[in-house]
Amino acid sequence: MTTLTLAISGSGGAGAISTGELLLRLFAEVGGYGMLKKTFSPQIRGGESAAILRLGDAPVSTIPATIDLLVALDWQNFARFADEVPISASTLVLHTGTDVPPPGVTPDNLLTVDAPGIAAAADSGWLNMVFFGMLASGLGCTCAAAETLLRARLEKHDDAVLDAACRALQAGFAQALPDPLRELLATLPVPAATAPGQPQRWLASGNQMAALGALEAGVRFVAAYPITPASDLLEWLAHHIDHYGGHLVQAEDELAAINMVIGAGFGGVPAMTATSGPGMALMSEAMGLAVASETAAVVVDVMRGGPSTGIPTKSEQSDLNLALYGMHGDAPHIVLAAQSIADCHFTAAWAVHLATRLQTLVIVLSDQSLGQSIQVIDAPGSDCPRAAVNSSQEAEPYLRYRDTDSGVSPLALPGEPGHMYTADGLEHGENAIPSPRARDHRMQLDKRWRKLADWDFGGHWAELVGQVDQRPVILCMGSVTATALEAQAAMAAAGREVAVLSLRLLAPLPTKQLATLLASGTRLLVVEHNHGAQLWHYLRSLLPQLAFESLALPGPAAIQPRDIYTALEAANAT
Amino acid sequence: MPLKARDYKSGIKPIWCPGCGHYSVLNAITKAMAAREVASHNTAIVSGIGCSSRLPAYVSSYGFHGVHGRALPLAAGLKVARPDLEVVAVGGDGDGFSIGGNHFLHACRRNVNIVYIAMDNEVYGMTKGQASPTSPESWLDGKLTPHGTEMRAFQPCAIALASGAGFIARGYSGDPNGLAQLIFEAMAFPGFAFIHVLSQCVTFVPEQTAWKQRVHPVEGTPATAAEAAALIHADDGFGKGILYRNPRPVWPRMHPQAGGGEDPRAGFAL
Ligand SMILES: Cc1ncc(C[n+]2csc(CCOP(=O)(O)OP(=O)(O)O)c2C)c(N)n1
Ligand code: SF4
Ligand SMILES: [Mg+2]
């Protein structure tokens, strides 16, 4: 596989992100692969942002630590994210020359491109489009295709604006490229058009895939309060839920959002909310209500750096403890983790299925990196799991919280004559009447636990890549999965086989399957993107017989494949 | 044969103290349901936590006894998802105006077509006698406020008006027939309909039995916010009747048809 990693950076409003998105789409449309990660500062305007793209001739699912090319639209505030866009001796850096790199940033290969002058000569101010044109030509794309994309993206603007942007693009495209740039871009082969019969390819983010998966599984009600990095998931839903005949409510806060979701779920309509750590913390009390009242509810947590406001625009996996333990009382529920951008679709759909089928709360953990990065993926099948609202048709007397063998009780929906009941967060007997009796409490606690513990979750509980037998195993979840797979590939190239086990079902933890599967592994390295080794502590507590090792690194910097194989090598030496 | 009010009772014995005002509210709700001939299985009564919030289980209908302060969002979610149902939220002054105060403001603004009956006894009954947002400033018996609340009492009807509620009424637990009439009207009203009920707590504020002498009917039914504001502000807080009625578009304003618009899958394809 040949890949090229480039970053486009600039101050807010310079158009770094949109240039990156256009380039990725252009390259993908002609058959290429790629992925784009966005990095923002928290400022709304005037803050810096960067698009980091990796383009390839085969599927790409990680962004490496080193970049081949940096296009600095300007250098304002660049220092603030220099960590995430590390310039090495081999990085080619293009800038406009109108300002200079900040102290400490001393690129060896710095080229000046008079983009403002080229734009001005074309009677345009769009210097980012000059670079887009140059990159498009260097990658072997046509100017017409680039222009079509640009026009589609700017369709809301008036013609004068659009034309000016296109003139800059054309001027950039017509430039003779400086040799180092031409040579660098030429290393990436022009992608071959995808052969017919191949799966359809999409360009999508994890947040979009989670939203689509939820809708395709049957979600018809969403209530939420905006929070980064879940807002774009909600914005996508807001624009597409109409197509499914559903409703999205922008609630006054997360307390309202989760209670609205529970109300809809009680009515038999599959419902979800999406949030991030601080919002899920606010939902904690009502999540316990969903458990106790046995009402289906799906909460998607797109994790960011915490605690408190933390690092709201950057990825971390530090809400695991909150998802597992963040409720008062004994509140068994389901926690899932999406494994990749594409898998956000399946995992969200599965969450909807399980929540409705088992009448309980399902938390889906995603993270900013999965949620907001966009990637060329194979289109997910629409044969995903579906909501299973199983209305009761059982003999009298109707007992809403009947102590069944499976633990799943008959659910009547409002509107059904003869089965009326009051759902309750107060402990209750089988007949739903509040009861503080020890017998009833014990029975209902057992029932709510049993329906999850005894459920056959099938093969979806994890994805195993490679073989465990007499090999080291990397255990992970979420966006770390792609990194682990890359580490695995790098180690394989060096003649060392390791297995990667990405966990999709975190609670109830499939301890039997894990114990059986992992028994023959030589090393069990738990890799996670947080400071407290939350996943490692959790696995250790439920599988004390296994010797888990930990690699836990907090955000905002992403874990790199080399962190993983260094950890495996280092401990190996001892 | 038309159902009687008592047919709308579930038969579960309330936990309330003898003489509690909430009994009358229960009676008034079942009377209004009988008068409207609602199908009880198409009705859902949603509450939070408090003595008053125990009410749903006592009505023969679907119900949801949720968490403290969140009856209004739960009811709104249910109604938006299931517009075919008659949804009534009930609860106390603490539930609705303190812990749930923010939801009250936004429920008035949002205007989902539900009825909200707040049983105001100016005290936290269930937790045994602390001051509530509506307790008079001078009330010295609140268990956490021995010097009085030293705060202005919350004005539910004025705040409902300012927040955009289209139907605002006040009832009294000592007048269950009058209250049943208000609930009947509220159920018929298209939009968020708020009924502030003076519902005495005989256990922690026994002096509320004197409300009997203070309540009085209000004159007329204002149909403009300005008239309603004048009436509500001039009133001593004991005026019974409809204080404002002025329907406006309910939320959601449209119910999209499944299958309409572009297929979301198309937008991702390369
Ligand atoms: C989150 C939370 N905080 C506190 C409580 C304790 N609590 C239960 S009922 C109540 C006050 C109820 O007062 P009100 O709503 O006026 O109802 P009343 O009992 O007076 O009818 C409180 C504070 C609770 N159940 N949940
Ligand atoms: S404590 Fe007051 S509000 Fe509660 S049941 Fe008794 S009288 Fe009614
Ligand atoms: Mg009260």
Side-chain angles (χ1 to χ4, degrees), chain A residues 201 203 216 243 247 252 260 267 380 414-416 421 423-424, chain B residues 41 62-63 65 73 82 102-103 110 254-255 259-260 265 268 270:
Chain A
R201 295 175 329 131
L203 187 58
E216 292 192 334
H243 177 77
H247 286 292
E252 53 271 29
M260 288 175 176
E416 282 176 32
Y421 77 101
D424 213 318
Chain B
H41 59 270
Y62 282 90
H65 184 211
R82 289 288 308 274
N102 192 35
H103 307 310
R110 191 175 283 120
M254 61 161 217
H255 288 281
R265 287 191 152 245
F268 294 114
L270 283 166

PDB file of all heavy atoms in Angstrom, chain A residues 201 203 216 243 247 252 260 267 380 414-416 421 423-424, chain B residues 41 62-63 65 73 82 102-103 110 254-255 259-260 265 268 270:
ATOM      1  N   ARG A 201     -18.593   2.426  -2.326  1.00  0.00           N
ATOM      2  CA  ARG A 201     -17.747   3.118  -1.356  1.00  0.00           C
ATOM      3  C   ARG A 201     -18.408   4.411  -0.922  1.00  0.00           C
ATOM      4  O   ARG A 201     -19.015   5.120  -1.735  1.00  0.00           O
ATOM      5  CB  ARG A 201     -16.370   3.377  -1.948  1.00  0.00           C
ATOM      6  CG  ARG A 201     -15.613   2.059  -2.241  1.00  0.00           C
ATOM      7  CD  ARG A 201     -14.288   2.302  -2.944  1.00  0.00           C
ATOM      8  NE  ARG A 201     -14.360   3.473  -3.775  1.00  0.00           N
ATOM      9  CZ  ARG A 201     -13.450   4.457  -3.764  1.00  0.00           C
ATOM     10  NH1 ARG A 201     -12.384   4.364  -3.012  1.00  0.00           N
ATOM     11  NH2 ARG A 201     -13.597   5.513  -4.542  1.00  0.00           N
ATOM     12  N   LEU A 203     -18.048   8.049   1.671  1.00  0.00           N
ATOM     13  CA  LEU A 203     -17.195   8.934   2.449  1.00  0.00           C
ATOM     14  C   LEU A 203     -18.050   9.387   3.632  1.00  0.00           C
ATOM     15  O   LEU A 203     -19.087  10.028   3.433  1.00  0.00           O
ATOM     16  CB  LEU A 203     -16.769  10.123   1.576  1.00  0.00           C
ATOM     17  CG  LEU A 203     -15.734  11.062   2.177  1.00  0.00           C
ATOM     18  CD1 LEU A 203     -14.450  10.327   2.536  1.00  0.00           C
ATOM     19  CD2 LEU A 203     -15.412  12.191   1.199  1.00  0.00           C
ATOM     20  N   GLU A 216     -31.698   3.429  10.701  1.00  0.00           N
ATOM     21  CA  GLU A 216     -32.024   2.224   9.932  1.00  0.00           C
ATOM     22  C   GLU A 216     -32.480   1.088  10.837  1.00  0.00           C
ATOM     23  O   GLU A 216     -33.210   0.202  10.411  1.00  0.00           O
ATOM     24  CB  GLU A 216     -30.835   1.816   9.050  1.00  0.00           C
ATOM     25  CG  GLU A 216     -30.631   2.864   7.953  1.00  0.00           C
ATOM     26  CD  GLU A 216     -29.676   2.465   6.834  1.00  0.00           C
ATOM     27  OE1 GLU A 216     -28.785   1.621   7.058  1.00  0.00           O
ATOM     28  OE2 GLU A 216     -29.822   3.016   5.736  1.00  0.00           O
ATOM     29  N   HIS A 243     -36.966  12.009   6.906  1.00  0.00           N
ATOM     30  CA  HIS A 243     -37.101  10.988   5.872  1.00  0.00           C
ATOM     31  C   HIS A 243     -37.688   9.695   6.444  1.00  0.00           C
ATOM     32  O   HIS A 243     -38.281   8.893   5.729  1.00  0.00           O
ATOM     33  CB  HIS A 243     -35.731  10.714   5.242  1.00  0.00           C
ATOM     34  CG  HIS A 243     -35.730   9.624   4.208  1.00  0.00           C
ATOM     35  ND1 HIS A 243     -36.206   9.825   2.935  1.00  0.00           N
ATOM     36  CD2 HIS A 243     -35.343   8.326   4.277  1.00  0.00           C
ATOM     37  CE1 HIS A 243     -36.099   8.689   2.255  1.00  0.00           C
ATOM     38  NE2 HIS A 243     -35.588   7.767   3.038  1.00  0.00           N
ATOM     39  N   HIS A 247     -38.957  12.331  14.787  1.00  0.00           N
ATOM     40  CA  HIS A 247     -38.796  13.686  15.329  1.00  0.00           C
ATOM     41  C   HIS A 247     -37.513  13.800  16.129  1.00  0.00           C
ATOM     42  O   HIS A 247     -37.134  12.870  16.840  1.00  0.00           O
ATOM     43  CB  HIS A 247     -39.953  14.032  16.265  1.00  0.00           C
ATOM     44  CG  HIS A 247     -41.224  14.320  15.539  1.00  0.00           C
ATOM     45  ND1 HIS A 247     -41.404  15.424  14.752  1.00  0.00           N
ATOM     46  CD2 HIS A 247     -42.376  13.620  15.468  1.00  0.00           C
ATOM     47  CE1 HIS A 247     -42.617  15.415  14.230  1.00  0.00           C
ATOM     48  NE2 HIS A 247     -43.235  14.317  14.643  1.00  0.00           N
ATOM     49  N   GLU A 252     -33.973  21.275  26.510  1.00  0.00           N
ATOM     50  CA  GLU A 252     -33.401  22.392  27.268  1.00  0.00           C
ATOM     51  C   GLU A 252     -32.123  21.987  27.995  1.00  0.00           C
ATOM     52  O   GLU A 252     -31.336  22.849  28.377  1.00  0.00           O
ATOM     53  CB  GLU A 252     -34.421  22.973  28.254  1.00  0.00           C
ATOM     54  CG  GLU A 252     -35.078  21.978  29.205  1.00  0.00           C
ATOM     55  CD  GLU A 252     -36.351  21.360  28.628  1.00  0.00           C
ATOM     56  OE1 GLU A 252     -36.443  21.247  27.389  1.00  0.00           O
ATOM     57  OE2 GLU A 252     -37.254  21.003  29.407  1.00  0.00           O
ATOM     58  N   MET A 260     -37.047  12.644  27.944  1.00  0.00           N
ATOM     59  CA  MET A 260     -37.875  12.602  26.727  1.00  0.00           C
ATOM     60  C   MET A 260     -37.706  11.262  26.016  1.00  0.00           C
ATOM     61  O   MET A 260     -38.672  10.663  25.539  1.00  0.00           O
ATOM     62  CB  MET A 260     -37.488  13.743  25.783  1.00  0.00           C
ATOM     63  CG  MET A 260     -37.936  15.112  26.270  1.00  0.00           C
ATOM     64  SD  MET A 260     -37.310  16.402  25.180  1.00  0.00           S
ATOM     65  CE  MET A 260     -38.085  17.848  25.919  1.00  0.00           C
ATOM     66  N   GLY A 267     -43.601   4.755  25.165  1.00  0.00           N
ATOM     67  CA  GLY A 267     -44.660   4.734  24.160  1.00  0.00           C
ATOM     68  C   GLY A 267     -44.411   3.710  23.059  1.00  0.00           C
ATOM     69  O   GLY A 267     -45.216   3.592  22.137  1.00  0.00           O
ATOM     70  N   PRO A 380     -22.076   0.381   4.517  1.00  0.00           N
ATOM     71  CA  PRO A 380     -22.631  -0.651   5.394  1.00  0.00           C
ATOM     72  C   PRO A 380     -23.918  -1.200   4.800  1.00  0.00           C
ATOM     73  O   PRO A 380     -24.702  -0.458   4.203  1.00  0.00           O
ATOM     74  CB  PRO A 380     -22.893   0.092   6.701  1.00  0.00           C
ATOM     75  CG  PRO A 380     -22.956   1.536   6.339  1.00  0.00           C
ATOM     76  CD  PRO A 380     -22.148   1.719   5.085  1.00  0.00           C
ATOM     77  N   PRO A 414     -48.898   1.801  25.685  1.00  0.00           N
ATOM     78  CA  PRO A 414     -50.077   2.640  25.837  1.00  0.00           C
ATOM     79  C   PRO A 414     -50.945   2.540  24.585  1.00  0.00           C
ATOM     80  O   PRO A 414     -50.429   2.536  23.469  1.00  0.00           O
ATOM     81  CB  PRO A 414     -49.495   4.048  25.998  1.00  0.00           C
ATOM     82  CG  PRO A 414     -48.116   3.827  26.529  1.00  0.00           C
ATOM     83  CD  PRO A 414     -47.651   2.521  25.955  1.00  0.00           C
ATOM     84  N   GLY A 415     -52.225   2.425  24.800  1.00  0.00           N
ATOM     85  CA  GLY A 415     -53.144   2.235  23.686  1.00  0.00           C
ATOM     86  C   GLY A 415     -53.718   0.829  23.676  1.00  0.00           C
ATOM     87  O   GLY A 415     -54.779   0.595  23.096  1.00  0.00           O
ATOM     88  N   GLU A 416     -53.013  -0.121  24.322  1.00  0.00           N
ATOM     89  CA  GLU A 416     -53.538  -1.491  24.383  1.00  0.00           C
ATOM     90  C   GLU A 416     -54.554  -1.600  25.504  1.00  0.00           C
ATOM     91  O   GLU A 416     -54.208  -1.366  26.661  1.00  0.00           O
ATOM     92  CB  GLU A 416     -52.408  -2.495  24.682  1.00  0.00           C
ATOM     93  CG  GLU A 416     -51.539  -2.832  23.517  1.00  0.00           C
ATOM     94  CD  GLU A 416     -50.388  -3.757  23.935  1.00  0.00           C
ATOM     95  OE1 GLU A 416     -50.562  -4.580  24.850  1.00  0.00           O
ATOM     96  OE2 GLU A 416     -49.306  -3.615  23.339  1.00  0.00           O
ATOM     97  N   TYR A 421     -50.820  -0.187  33.042  1.00  0.00           N
ATOM     98  CA  TYR A 421     -49.922  -0.275  34.198  1.00  0.00           C
ATOM     99  C   TYR A 421     -49.204   1.056  34.330  1.00  0.00           C
ATOM    100  O   TYR A 421     -49.199   1.856  33.395  1.00  0.00           O
ATOM    101  CB  TYR A 421     -48.916  -1.412  34.008  1.00  0.00           C
ATOM    102  CG  TYR A 421     -47.792  -1.074  33.054  1.00  0.00           C
ATOM    103  CD1 TYR A 421     -46.535  -0.703  33.527  1.00  0.00           C
ATOM    104  CD2 TYR A 421     -47.996  -1.074  31.669  1.00  0.00           C
ATOM    105  CE1 TYR A 421     -45.517  -0.364  32.654  1.00  0.00           C
ATOM    106  CE2 TYR A 421     -46.980  -0.737  30.800  1.00  0.00           C
ATOM    107  CZ  TYR A 421     -45.734  -0.377  31.297  1.00  0.00           C
ATOM    108  OH  TYR A 421     -44.727  -0.031  30.443  1.00  0.00           O
ATOM    109  N   ALA A 423     -45.549   2.462  34.784  1.00  0.00           N
ATOM    110  CA  ALA A 423     -44.112   2.177  34.834  1.00  0.00           C
ATOM    111  C   ALA A 423     -43.539   2.924  36.029  1.00  0.00           C
ATOM    112  O   ALA A 423     -43.959   4.043  36.328  1.00  0.00           O
ATOM    113  CB  ALA A 423     -43.440   2.645  33.550  1.00  0.00           C
ATOM    114  N   ASP A 424     -42.578   2.300  36.701  1.00  0.00           N
ATOM    115  CA  ASP A 424     -42.153   2.926  37.946  1.00  0.00           C
ATOM    116  C   ASP A 424     -40.676   2.755  38.209  1.00  0.00           C
ATOM    117  O   ASP A 424     -40.104   1.695  37.987  1.00  0.00           O
ATOM    118  CB  ASP A 424     -42.954   2.330  39.116  1.00  0.00           C
ATOM    119  CG  ASP A 424     -43.184   3.360  40.198  1.00  0.00           C
ATOM    120  OD1 ASP A 424     -42.234   4.111  40.510  1.00  0.00           O
ATOM    121  OD2 ASP A 424     -44.310   3.420  40.712  1.00  0.00           O
TER     122      ASP A 424
ATOM    123  N   HIS B  41     -57.241   3.444  28.226  1.00  0.00           N
ATOM    124  CA  HIS B  41     -56.007   2.863  27.689  1.00  0.00           C
ATOM    125  C   HIS B  41     -55.315   3.784  26.684  1.00  0.00           C
ATOM    126  O   HIS B  41     -54.196   3.521  26.276  1.00  0.00           O
ATOM    127  CB  HIS B  41     -56.271   1.487  27.068  1.00  0.00           C
ATOM    128  CG  HIS B  41     -57.270   1.508  25.949  1.00  0.00           C
ATOM    129  ND1 HIS B  41     -58.618   1.337  26.158  1.00  0.00           N
ATOM    130  CD2 HIS B  41     -57.108   1.712  24.626  1.00  0.00           C
ATOM    131  CE1 HIS B  41     -59.247   1.421  24.986  1.00  0.00           C
ATOM    132  NE2 HIS B  41     -58.355   1.643  24.052  1.00  0.00           N
ATOM    133  N   TYR B  62     -52.678   4.166  31.488  1.00  0.00           N
ATOM    134  CA  TYR B  62     -51.239   3.972  31.505  1.00  0.00           C
ATOM    135  C   TYR B  62     -50.623   5.091  32.336  1.00  0.00           C
ATOM    136  O   TYR B  62     -51.199   6.177  32.466  1.00  0.00           O
ATOM    137  CB  TYR B  62     -50.673   3.955  30.080  1.00  0.00           C
ATOM    138  CG  TYR B  62     -50.922   2.619  29.412  1.00  0.00           C
ATOM    139  CD1 TYR B  62     -52.082   2.390  28.676  1.00  0.00           C
ATOM    140  CD2 TYR B  62     -50.026   1.575  29.570  1.00  0.00           C
ATOM    141  CE1 TYR B  62     -52.331   1.154  28.096  1.00  0.00           C
ATOM    142  CE2 TYR B  62     -50.264   0.334  28.996  1.00  0.00           C
ATOM    143  CZ  TYR B  62     -51.412   0.126  28.261  1.00  0.00           C
ATOM    144  OH  TYR B  62     -51.645  -1.103  27.700  1.00  0.00           O
ATOM    145  N   GLY B  63     -49.452   4.820  32.898  1.00  0.00           N
ATOM    146  CA  GLY B  63     -48.820   5.843  33.719  1.00  0.00           C
ATOM    147  C   GLY B  63     -47.324   5.661  33.773  1.00  0.00           C
ATOM    148  O   GLY B  63     -46.788   4.607  33.419  1.00  0.00           O
ATOM    149  N   HIS B  65     -44.304   6.831  36.587  1.00  0.00           N
ATOM    150  CA  HIS B  65     -43.830   7.491  37.799  1.00  0.00           C
ATOM    151  C   HIS B  65     -42.319   7.554  37.673  1.00  0.00           C
ATOM    152  O   HIS B  65     -41.634   6.564  37.890  1.00  0.00           O
ATOM    153  CB  HIS B  65     -44.280   6.638  39.002  1.00  0.00           C
ATOM    154  CG  HIS B  65     -43.958   7.226  40.332  1.00  0.00           C
ATOM    155  ND1 HIS B  65     -43.687   6.440  41.429  1.00  0.00           N
ATOM    156  CD2 HIS B  65     -43.881   8.492  40.763  1.00  0.00           C
ATOM    157  CE1 HIS B  65     -43.463   7.219  42.480  1.00  0.00           C
ATOM    158  NE2 HIS B  65     -43.566   8.463  42.102  1.00  0.00           N
ATOM    159  N   PRO B  73     -40.529  16.706  30.716  1.00  0.00           N
ATOM    160  CA  PRO B  73     -39.864  16.162  29.528  1.00  0.00           C
ATOM    161  C   PRO B  73     -40.302  14.739  29.203  1.00  0.00           C
ATOM    162  O   PRO B  73     -40.442  14.403  28.020  1.00  0.00           O
ATOM    163  CB  PRO B  73     -38.373  16.228  29.866  1.00  0.00           C
ATOM    164  CG  PRO B  73     -38.268  16.623  31.287  1.00  0.00           C
ATOM    165  CD  PRO B  73     -39.569  17.226  31.698  1.00  0.00           C
ATOM    166  N   ARG B  82     -45.952   9.673  20.446  1.00  0.00           N
ATOM    167  CA  ARG B  82     -47.256   9.022  20.343  1.00  0.00           C
ATOM    168  C   ARG B  82     -48.367  10.073  20.409  1.00  0.00           C
ATOM    169  O   ARG B  82     -49.089  10.181  21.407  1.00  0.00           O
ATOM    170  CB  ARG B  82     -47.421   8.020  21.497  1.00  0.00           C
ATOM    171  CG  ARG B  82     -46.561   6.763  21.396  1.00  0.00           C
ATOM    172  CD  ARG B  82     -47.036   5.795  20.310  1.00  0.00           C
ATOM    173  NE  ARG B  82     -48.452   5.484  20.454  1.00  0.00           N
ATOM    174  CZ  ARG B  82     -48.947   4.520  21.247  1.00  0.00           C
ATOM    175  NH1 ARG B  82     -48.125   3.751  21.944  1.00  0.00           N
ATOM    176  NH2 ARG B  82     -50.242   4.308  21.337  1.00  0.00           N
ATOM    177  N   ASN B 102     -36.630  24.422  35.319  1.00  0.00           N
ATOM    178  CA  ASN B 102     -36.207  24.740  33.954  1.00  0.00           C
ATOM    179  C   ASN B 102     -37.129  24.070  32.929  1.00  0.00           C
ATOM    180  O   ASN B 102     -37.471  24.667  31.908  1.00  0.00           O
ATOM    181  CB  ASN B 102     -34.762  24.279  33.761  1.00  0.00           C
ATOM    182  CG  ASN B 102     -34.147  24.809  32.487  1.00  0.00           C
ATOM    183  OD1 ASN B 102     -34.448  25.923  32.077  1.00  0.00           O
ATOM    184  ND2 ASN B 102     -33.300  24.016  31.857  1.00  0.00           N
ATOM    185  N   HIS B 103     -37.538  22.840  33.233  1.00  0.00           N
ATOM    186  CA  HIS B 103     -38.417  22.148  32.278  1.00  0.00           C
ATOM    187  C   HIS B 103     -39.772  22.852  32.188  1.00  0.00           C
ATOM    188  O   HIS B 103     -40.411  22.844  31.144  1.00  0.00           O
ATOM    189  CB  HIS B 103     -38.619  20.688  32.687  1.00  0.00           C
ATOM    190  CG  HIS B 103     -37.341  19.960  32.913  1.00  0.00           C
ATOM    191  ND1 HIS B 103     -36.306  19.970  32.008  1.00  0.00           N
ATOM    192  CD2 HIS B 103     -36.910  19.214  33.963  1.00  0.00           C
ATOM    193  CE1 HIS B 103     -35.294  19.252  32.486  1.00  0.00           C
ATOM    194  NE2 HIS B 103     -35.639  18.785  33.667  1.00  0.00           N
ATOM    195  N   ARG B 110     -42.404  25.499  24.564  1.00  0.00           N
ATOM    196  CA  ARG B 110     -42.411  24.518  23.472  1.00  0.00           C
ATOM    197  C   ARG B 110     -43.823  24.241  22.987  1.00  0.00           C
ATOM    198  O   ARG B 110     -44.066  24.006  21.818  1.00  0.00           O
ATOM    199  CB  ARG B 110     -41.716  23.235  23.936  1.00  0.00           C
ATOM    200  CG  ARG B 110     -41.438  22.254  22.839  1.00  0.00           C
ATOM    201  CD  ARG B 110     -40.628  21.061  23.339  1.00  0.00           C
ATOM    202  NE  ARG B 110     -39.221  21.382  23.503  1.00  0.00           N
ATOM    203  CZ  ARG B 110     -38.549  21.307  24.646  1.00  0.00           C
ATOM    204  NH1 ARG B 110     -39.156  20.901  25.746  1.00  0.00           N
ATOM    205  NH2 ARG B 110     -37.279  21.625  24.704  1.00  0.00           N
ATOM    206  N   MET B 254     -45.107  20.061  12.358  1.00  0.00           N
ATOM    207  CA  MET B 254     -45.437  19.139  11.257  1.00  0.00           C
ATOM    208  C   MET B 254     -45.004  17.723  11.597  1.00  0.00           C
ATOM    209  O   MET B 254     -44.077  17.509  12.373  1.00  0.00           O
ATOM    210  CB  MET B 254     -44.790  19.601   9.952  1.00  0.00           C
ATOM    211  CG  MET B 254     -43.277  19.654   9.999  1.00  0.00           C
ATOM    212  SD  MET B 254     -42.659  19.651   8.333  1.00  0.00           S
ATOM    213  CE  MET B 254     -41.211  18.657   8.457  1.00  0.00           C
ATOM    214  N   HIS B 255     -45.717  16.786  11.041  1.00  0.00           N
ATOM    215  CA  HIS B 255     -45.368  15.373  11.204  1.00  0.00           C
ATOM    216  C   HIS B 255     -44.912  14.845   9.854  1.00  0.00           C
ATOM    217  O   HIS B 255     -45.715  14.574   8.981  1.00  0.00           O
ATOM    218  CB  HIS B 255     -46.579  14.584  11.719  1.00  0.00           C
ATOM    219  CG  HIS B 255     -46.884  14.895  13.150  1.00  0.00           C
ATOM    220  ND1 HIS B 255     -46.184  14.353  14.195  1.00  0.00           N
ATOM    221  CD2 HIS B 255     -47.784  15.733  13.695  1.00  0.00           C
ATOM    222  CE1 HIS B 255     -46.648  14.831  15.336  1.00  0.00           C
ATOM    223  NE2 HIS B 255     -47.617  15.667  15.064  1.00  0.00           N
ATOM    224  N   GLY B 259     -40.307   8.383   4.197  1.00  0.00           N
ATOM    225  CA  GLY B 259     -40.005   8.191   2.775  1.00  0.00           C
ATOM    226  C   GLY B 259     -39.879   9.492   2.004  1.00  0.00           C
ATOM    227  O   GLY B 259     -39.466   9.483   0.846  1.00  0.00           O
ATOM    228  N   GLY B 260     -40.217  10.606   2.642  1.00  0.00           N
ATOM    229  CA  GLY B 260     -40.127  11.890   1.941  1.00  0.00           C
ATOM    230  C   GLY B 260     -38.684  12.354   1.831  1.00  0.00           C
ATOM    231  O   GLY B 260     -37.824  11.934   2.594  1.00  0.00           O
ATOM    232  N   ARG B 265     -28.890   7.669   2.403  1.00  0.00           N
ATOM    233  CA  ARG B 265     -27.765   6.866   1.917  1.00  0.00           C
ATOM    234  C   ARG B 265     -27.104   7.507   0.692  1.00  0.00           C
ATOM    235  O   ARG B 265     -25.900   7.364   0.502  1.00  0.00           O
ATOM    236  CB  ARG B 265     -28.232   5.454   1.552  1.00  0.00           C
ATOM    237  CG  ARG B 265     -28.535   4.611   2.777  1.00  0.00           C
ATOM    238  CD  ARG B 265     -28.734   3.145   2.449  1.00  0.00           C
ATOM    239  NE  ARG B 265     -28.352   2.383   3.627  1.00  0.00           N
ATOM    240  CZ  ARG B 265     -27.329   1.546   3.698  1.00  0.00           C
ATOM    241  NH1 ARG B 265     -26.610   1.298   2.637  1.00  0.00           N
ATOM    242  NH2 ARG B 265     -27.039   0.932   4.825  1.00  0.00           N
ATOM    243  N   PHE B 268     -23.921   9.767   0.923  1.00  0.00           N
ATOM    244  CA  PHE B 268     -22.591   9.258   1.285  1.00  0.00           C
ATOM    245  C   PHE B 268     -21.852   8.659   0.106  1.00  0.00           C
ATOM    246  O   PHE B 268     -20.643   8.471   0.154  1.00  0.00           O
ATOM    247  CB  PHE B 268     -22.717   8.168   2.354  1.00  0.00           C
ATOM    248  CG  PHE B 268     -23.240   8.673   3.663  1.00  0.00           C
ATOM    249  CD1 PHE B 268     -24.477   8.268   4.133  1.00  0.00           C
ATOM    250  CD2 PHE B 268     -22.496   9.559   4.418  1.00  0.00           C
ATOM    251  CE1 PHE B 268     -24.962   8.734   5.343  1.00  0.00           C
ATOM    252  CE2 PHE B 268     -22.958  10.033   5.632  1.00  0.00           C
ATOM    253  CZ  PHE B 268     -24.199   9.613   6.097  1.00  0.00           C
ATOM    254  N   LEU B 270     -19.884   7.693  -3.148  1.00  0.00           N
ATOM    255  CA  LEU B 270     -18.862   8.384  -3.931  1.00  0.00           C
ATOM    256  C   LEU B 270     -19.165   8.279  -5.418  1.00  0.00           C
ATOM    257  O   LEU B 270     -19.763   7.312  -5.861  1.00  0.00           O
ATOM    258  CB  LEU B 270     -17.498   7.764  -3.631  1.00  0.00           C
ATOM    259  CG  LEU B 270     -16.900   8.198  -2.296  1.00  0.00           C
ATOM    260  CD1 LEU B 270     -15.733   7.294  -1.918  1.00  0.00           C
ATOM    261  CD2 LEU B 270     -16.424   9.644  -2.365  1.00  0.00           C
TER     262      LEU B 270
END
